[in-house]
Protein backbone atom coordinates (compact mmCIF):
# COMPACT_ATOMS: atom_id res chain seq x y z
CA UNK A 1 0.00 0.00 0.00
CA UNK A 2 1.37 3.40 -0.94
CA UNK A 3 2.46 5.75 1.79
CA UNK A 4 -0.33 8.24 1.22
CA UNK A 5 -2.86 5.39 1.29
CA UNK A 6 -1.62 4.31 4.72
CA UNK A 7 -1.95 7.87 5.99
CA UNK A 8 -5.45 8.26 4.59
CA UNK A 9 -6.63 4.88 5.87
CA UNK A 10 -5.39 5.81 9.34
CA UNK A 11 -7.31 9.08 9.07
CA UNK A 12 -10.36 7.20 7.78
CA UNK A 13 -10.44 5.11 10.95
CA UNK A 14 -10.59 8.27 13.03
CA UNK A 15 -13.24 9.78 10.76
CA UNK A 16 -15.35 6.63 11.04
CA UNK A 17 -15.11 6.75 14.82
CA UNK A 18 -16.26 10.38 14.81
CA UNK A 19 -19.12 9.70 12.43
CA UNK A 20 -20.27 6.74 14.51
CA UNK A 21 -20.43 8.82 17.68
CA UNK A 22 -22.48 11.51 15.96
CA UNK A 23 -24.74 8.91 14.36
CA UNK A 24 -25.37 7.18 17.67
CA UNK A 25 -26.42 10.46 19.24
CA UNK A 26 -28.82 11.24 16.42
CA UNK A 27 -30.29 7.73 16.51
CA UNK A 28 -30.84 7.96 20.25
CA UNK A 29 -32.61 11.30 19.87
CA UNK A 30 -34.90 10.33 17.01
CA UNK A 31 -38.51 9.50 17.93
CA UNK A 32 -39.81 6.23 16.50
CA UNK A 33 -43.03 7.93 15.39
CA UNK A 34 -43.15 10.33 12.43
CA UNK A 35 -42.64 13.99 13.26
CA UNK A 36 -46.09 15.63 13.68
CA UNK A 37 -45.22 18.94 12.02
CA UNK A 38 -47.66 19.88 9.23
CA UNK A 39 -45.66 22.41 7.19
CA UNK A 40 -42.23 22.38 5.61
CA UNK A 41 -41.18 25.30 7.82
CA UNK A 42 -42.22 23.50 11.00
CA UNK A 43 -40.48 20.30 9.92
CA UNK A 44 -37.25 22.12 9.07
CA UNK A 45 -37.28 23.93 12.42
CA UNK A 46 -37.62 20.60 14.23
CA UNK A 47 -34.86 19.11 12.12
CA UNK A 48 -32.52 22.05 12.69
CA UNK A 49 -32.89 21.64 16.44
CA UNK A 50 -31.55 18.08 16.12
CA UNK A 51 -29.14 18.45 13.20
CA UNK A 52 -27.49 21.68 14.33
CA UNK A 53 -25.82 20.27 17.46
CA UNK A 54 -24.86 17.08 15.59
CA UNK A 55 -23.21 19.06 12.80
CA UNK A 56 -21.33 21.16 15.35
CA UNK A 57 -20.06 18.02 17.10
CA UNK A 58 -19.00 16.48 13.80
CA UNK A 59 -17.12 19.63 12.84
CA UNK A 60 -15.33 19.70 16.21
CA UNK A 61 -14.28 16.04 15.99
CA UNK A 62 -13.10 16.23 12.39
CA UNK A 63 -11.33 19.51 13.01
CA UNK A 64 -9.32 17.81 15.72
CA UNK A 65 -8.33 15.06 13.30
CA UNK A 66 -7.37 17.37 10.42
CA UNK A 67 -7.07 20.94 11.69
CA UNK A 68 -5.54 22.20 8.44
CA UNK A 69 -8.69 21.34 6.46
CA UNK A 70 -11.43 23.94 6.03
CA UNK A 71 -15.15 23.36 6.48
CA UNK A 72 -17.74 23.70 3.72
CA UNK A 73 -21.30 24.39 4.93
CA UNK A 74 -23.78 21.56 4.37
CA UNK A 75 -26.14 23.62 2.21
CA UNK A 76 -23.96 23.94 -0.89
CA UNK A 77 -24.67 25.87 -4.05
CA UNK A 78 -23.62 22.81 -6.02
CA UNK A 79 -19.88 23.51 -5.91
CA UNK A 80 -16.83 22.87 -3.73
CA UNK A 81 -13.62 24.87 -3.45
CA UNK A 82 -11.18 24.07 -6.25
CA UNK A 83 -8.06 24.44 -4.10
CA UNK A 84 -6.98 23.27 -0.68
CA UNK A 85 -8.33 20.67 1.73
CA UNK A 86 -11.94 20.86 2.89
CA UNK A 87 -14.38 18.78 4.88
CA UNK A 88 -17.69 18.29 3.08
CA UNK A 89 -20.07 16.67 5.56
CA UNK A 90 -23.72 16.03 6.33
CA UNK A 91 -24.67 15.11 9.87
CA UNK A 92 -28.07 13.86 8.74
CA UNK A 93 -28.16 12.94 5.06
CA UNK A 94 -31.74 11.83 4.52
CA UNK A 95 -33.52 14.37 6.69
CA UNK A 96 -36.94 13.41 5.32
CA UNK A 97 -36.52 9.77 6.30
CA UNK A 98 -35.09 10.72 9.68
CA UNK A 99 -38.13 12.84 10.52
CA UNK A 100 -40.50 10.09 9.36
CA UNK A 101 -38.94 7.54 11.68
CA UNK A 102 -37.39 5.50 8.87
CA UNK A 103 -33.90 3.92 8.98
CA UNK A 104 -32.72 5.24 5.60
CA UNK A 105 -30.52 8.14 6.72
CA UNK A 106 -26.78 8.51 7.13
CA UNK A 107 -23.93 10.60 8.49
CA UNK A 108 -21.36 11.45 5.82
CA UNK A 109 -17.86 12.90 5.97
CA UNK A 110 -15.68 13.57 2.94
CA UNK A 111 -12.21 15.07 2.75
CA UNK A 112 -11.87 17.01 -0.49
CA UNK A 113 -8.45 18.00 -1.83
CA UNK A 114 -8.24 20.46 -4.74
CA UNK A 115 -11.86 19.81 -5.69
CA UNK A 116 -11.78 15.99 -5.59
CA UNK A 117 -12.68 13.57 -2.81
CA UNK A 118 -9.74 11.68 -1.30
CA UNK A 119 -11.48 10.10 1.70
CA UNK A 120 -15.11 9.33 2.40
CA UNK A 121 -17.15 7.67 5.14
CA UNK A 122 -20.90 7.02 4.88
CA UNK A 123 -22.44 5.60 8.06
CA UNK A 124 -26.10 4.53 8.26
CA UNK A 125 -26.65 3.98 12.00
CA UNK A 126 -30.02 2.22 11.75
CA UNK A 127 -29.76 0.33 8.48
CA UNK A 128 -30.27 -3.44 8.90
CA UNK A 129 -30.55 -2.98 12.66
CA UNK A 130 -26.88 -2.74 13.60
CA UNK A 131 -26.02 -0.11 10.98
CA UNK A 132 -23.71 -0.20 7.96
CA UNK A 133 -20.54 1.78 7.30
CA UNK A 134 -18.87 2.45 3.96
CA UNK A 135 -15.43 4.01 3.69
CA UNK A 136 -12.91 4.61 0.92
CA UNK A 137 -9.69 6.45 0.21
CA UNK A 138 -8.47 7.56 -3.19
CA UNK A 139 -6.32 4.83 -4.70
CA UNK A 140 -6.84 2.53 -1.73
CA UNK A 141 -10.12 0.75 -2.44
CA UNK A 142 -13.47 0.75 -0.65
CA UNK A 143 -14.93 -1.22 2.24
CA UNK A 144 -18.29 -2.00 3.81
CA UNK A 145 -18.03 -2.78 7.52
CA UNK A 146 -14.33 -3.42 7.07
CA UNK A 147 -14.61 -5.79 4.11
CA UNK A 148 -13.60 -4.96 0.50
CA UNK A 149 -16.54 -4.44 -1.84
CA UNK A 150 -17.20 -4.62 -5.58
CA UNK A 151 -20.27 -4.01 -7.77
CA UNK A 152 -22.29 -6.93 -9.12
CA UNK A 153 -22.92 -7.47 -12.82
CA UNK A 154 -26.45 -8.20 -13.99
CA UNK A 155 -28.40 -7.77 -17.19
CA UNK A 156 -30.05 -4.35 -17.31
CA UNK A 157 -33.53 -5.89 -17.40
CA UNK A 158 -32.80 -7.73 -14.12
CA UNK A 159 -31.46 -4.75 -12.20
CA UNK A 160 -32.86 -2.55 -9.48
CA UNK A 161 -31.91 1.04 -10.28
CA UNK A 162 -32.07 3.98 -7.91
CA UNK A 163 -32.47 7.69 -8.44
CA UNK A 164 -33.17 10.89 -6.56
CA UNK A 165 -34.89 14.13 -7.45
CA UNK A 166 -32.75 17.17 -8.23
CA UNK A 167 -31.47 18.91 -5.08
CA UNK A 168 -33.76 21.50 -3.53
CA UNK A 169 -31.00 23.99 -2.66
CA UNK A 170 -31.20 25.57 -6.12
CA UNK A 171 -33.95 23.91 -8.14
CA UNK A 172 -33.00 23.80 -11.82
CA UNK A 173 -36.04 23.50 -14.12
CA UNK A 174 -33.94 21.74 -16.77
CA UNK A 175 -32.79 19.18 -14.22
CA UNK A 176 -36.39 18.66 -13.07
CA UNK A 177 -37.53 18.02 -16.65
CA UNK A 178 -34.65 15.64 -17.29
CA UNK A 179 -35.41 13.80 -14.07
CA UNK A 180 -38.95 13.13 -15.28
CA UNK A 181 -37.89 12.10 -18.77
CA UNK A 182 -35.16 9.81 -17.48
CA UNK A 183 -37.51 8.11 -15.05
CA UNK A 184 -39.90 7.29 -17.88
CA UNK A 185 -37.04 5.93 -19.95
CA UNK A 186 -35.45 3.88 -17.17
CA UNK A 187 -38.71 2.35 -15.90
CA UNK A 188 -39.09 0.53 -19.20
CA UNK A 189 -35.52 -0.77 -19.18
CA UNK A 190 -34.93 -2.19 -15.69
CA UNK A 191 -36.67 -4.50 -13.25
CA UNK A 192 -37.50 -1.71 -10.80
CA UNK A 193 -36.63 1.88 -9.95
CA UNK A 194 -36.42 3.03 -6.34
CA UNK A 195 -35.51 6.13 -4.34
CA UNK A 196 -34.12 4.78 -1.08
CA UNK A 197 -33.33 8.06 0.59
CA UNK A 198 -29.84 9.50 1.10
CA UNK A 199 -28.04 10.11 -2.19
CA UNK A 200 -24.60 9.29 -0.78
CA UNK A 201 -25.80 5.99 0.64
CA UNK A 202 -27.52 4.92 -2.58
CA UNK A 203 -24.43 5.67 -4.65
CA UNK A 204 -22.25 3.74 -2.21
CA UNK A 205 -24.65 0.80 -2.45
CA UNK A 206 -23.88 0.52 -6.17
CA UNK A 207 -20.29 -0.09 -5.13
CA UNK A 208 -21.30 -3.01 -2.92
CA UNK A 209 -23.83 -4.50 -5.33
CA UNK A 210 -26.88 -3.72 -3.20
CA UNK A 211 -28.03 -1.57 -6.13
CA UNK A 212 -27.09 -1.98 -9.78
CA UNK A 213 -27.05 1.65 -10.84
CA UNK A 214 -27.88 5.16 -9.71
CA UNK A 215 -28.52 8.29 -11.74
CA UNK A 216 -29.53 11.85 -10.97
CA UNK A 217 -29.79 15.22 -12.69
CA UNK A 218 -28.70 18.52 -11.16
CA UNK A 219 -25.51 19.71 -9.47
CA UNK A 220 -25.27 18.05 -6.08
CA UNK A 221 -21.60 17.87 -5.12
CA UNK A 222 -22.05 17.66 -1.36
CA UNK A 223 -24.30 14.62 -1.57
CA UNK A 224 -22.52 12.90 -4.46
CA UNK A 225 -18.85 13.24 -3.53
CA UNK A 226 -18.74 10.62 -0.74
CA UNK A 227 -20.72 7.95 -2.56
CA UNK A 228 -18.94 8.60 -5.86
CA UNK A 229 -15.53 7.99 -4.28
CA UNK A 230 -16.74 4.81 -2.57
CA UNK A 231 -18.37 3.45 -5.73
CA UNK A 232 -15.39 4.35 -7.92
CA UNK A 233 -12.88 2.77 -5.54
CA UNK A 234 -15.07 -0.35 -5.43
CA UNK A 235 -14.83 -0.64 -9.21
CA UNK A 236 -18.05 0.96 -10.43
CA UNK A 237 -18.14 3.35 -13.38
CA UNK A 238 -18.83 6.93 -12.26
CA UNK A 239 -19.68 9.39 -15.05
CA UNK A 240 -22.25 11.98 -15.96
CA UNK A 241 -25.42 10.89 -17.75
CA UNK A 242 -23.72 11.09 -21.16
CA UNK A 243 -20.81 8.87 -20.12
CA UNK A 244 -18.27 11.68 -19.68
CA UNK A 245 -16.07 11.84 -16.59
CA UNK A 246 -17.94 13.02 -13.50
CA UNK A 247 -16.64 15.93 -11.44
CA UNK A 248 -18.09 17.99 -8.62
CA UNK A 249 -19.24 20.51 -11.26
CA UNK A 250 -21.14 18.00 -13.42
CA UNK A 251 -24.88 18.60 -13.89
CA UNK A 252 -25.75 14.88 -13.82
CA UNK A 253 -24.35 11.60 -12.54
CA UNK A 254 -24.55 7.95 -13.53
CA UNK A 255 -22.99 5.24 -11.35
CA UNK A 256 -23.19 1.62 -12.49
CA UNK A 257 -21.42 -1.71 -12.54
CA UNK A 258 -18.98 -1.59 -15.49
CA UNK A 259 -20.91 -4.10 -17.59
CA UNK A 260 -24.16 -2.16 -17.14
CA UNK A 261 -22.81 1.31 -17.68
CA UNK A 262 -22.95 1.46 -21.48
CA UNK A 263 -26.51 0.14 -21.52
CA UNK A 264 -27.57 2.71 -18.92
CA UNK A 265 -25.99 5.51 -20.95
CA UNK A 266 -27.97 4.25 -23.93
CA UNK A 267 -31.21 4.51 -21.98
CA UNK A 268 -30.46 8.04 -20.83
CA UNK A 269 -29.69 9.19 -24.40
CA UNK A 270 -33.46 9.60 -24.75
CA UNK A 271 -33.26 12.54 -22.32
CA UNK A 272 -32.77 15.89 -24.04
Amino acid sequence: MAGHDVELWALAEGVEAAVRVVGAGLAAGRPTDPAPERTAEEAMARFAALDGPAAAELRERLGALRPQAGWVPEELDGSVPAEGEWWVCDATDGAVQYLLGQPHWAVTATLVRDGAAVLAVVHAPELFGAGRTYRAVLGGGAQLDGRPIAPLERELAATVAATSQPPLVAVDPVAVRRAGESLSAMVGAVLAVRNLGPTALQVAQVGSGHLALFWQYGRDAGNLLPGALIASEAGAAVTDATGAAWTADSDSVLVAAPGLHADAVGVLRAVS
Side-chain angles (χ1 to χ4, degrees):
M1 185 180 291
H4 74 282
D5 292 343
V6 173
E7 177 191 0
L8 286 174
W9 273 121
L11 178 60
E13 291 180 1
V15 173
E16 179 176 338
V19 163
R20 283 180 172 273
V21 170
V22 172
L26 282 163
R30 184 182 62 76
T32 55
D33 294 327
E37 284 75 13
R38 295 174 60 89
T39 69
E41 291 78 10
E42 291 172 349
M44 289 309 298
R46 179 184 178 92
F47 175 71
L50 295 166
D51 180 75
E57 181 180 5
L58 185 59
R59 180 173 185 173
E60 180 180 358
R61 290 179 177 274
L62 295 181
L65 290 172
R66 195 78 165 184
Q68 67 268 39
W71 185 268
V72 177
E74 289 182 24
E75 296 302 326
L76 299 172
D77 61 0
S79 63
V80 296
E83 297 181 353
E85 280 194 352
W86 299 85
W87 288 112
V88 178
C89 304
D90 194 340
T92 319
D93 185 18
V96 172
Q97 290 75 232
Y98 183 89
L99 292 175
L100 289 175
Q102 298 178 6
H104 298 280
W105 59 277
V107 185
T108 74
T110 308
L111 182 64
V112 175
R113 182 180 296 157
D114 297 335
V118 297
L119 180 158
V121 174
V122 175
H123 174 57
E126 298 183 291
L127 201 62
F128 301 116
R132 308 301 296 271
T133 306
Y134 289 88
R135 64 181 181 180
V137 300
L138 183 64
Q143 299 176 347
L144 171 59
D145 296 334
R147 302 186 305 273
I149 56 174
L152 294 178
E153 299 287 359
R154 294 183 175 88
E155 294 182 356
L156 189 63
T159 66
V160 175
T163 190
S164 185
Q165 67 192 64
L168 298 178
V169 176
V171 177
D172 177 356
V174 174
V176 171
R177 175 178 56 76
R178 287 173 171 169
E181 292 178 359
S182 65
L183 179 59
S184 297
M186 196 64 76
V187 162
V190 300
L191 181 65
V193 175
R194 298 289 185 264
N195 184 340
L196 300 177
T199 299
L201 181 59
Q202 292 186 94
V203 176
Q205 287 177 317
V206 176
S208 60
H210 289 87
L211 290 169
L213 67 91
F214 176 92
W215 87 98
Q216 179 183 297
Y217 287 90
R219 288 179 172 82
D220 196 14
N223 286 320
L224 289 169
L225 279 165
L229 178 64
I230 292 165
S232 177
E233 287 296 325
V238 180
T239 69
D240 69 10
T242 70
W246 183 84
T247 71
D249 292 328
S250 297
D251 63 1
S252 63
V253 68
L254 170 62
V255 183
L260 287 172
H261 183 261
D263 290 339
V265 170
V267 172
L268 295 178
R269 285 200 185 102
V271 179
S272 60

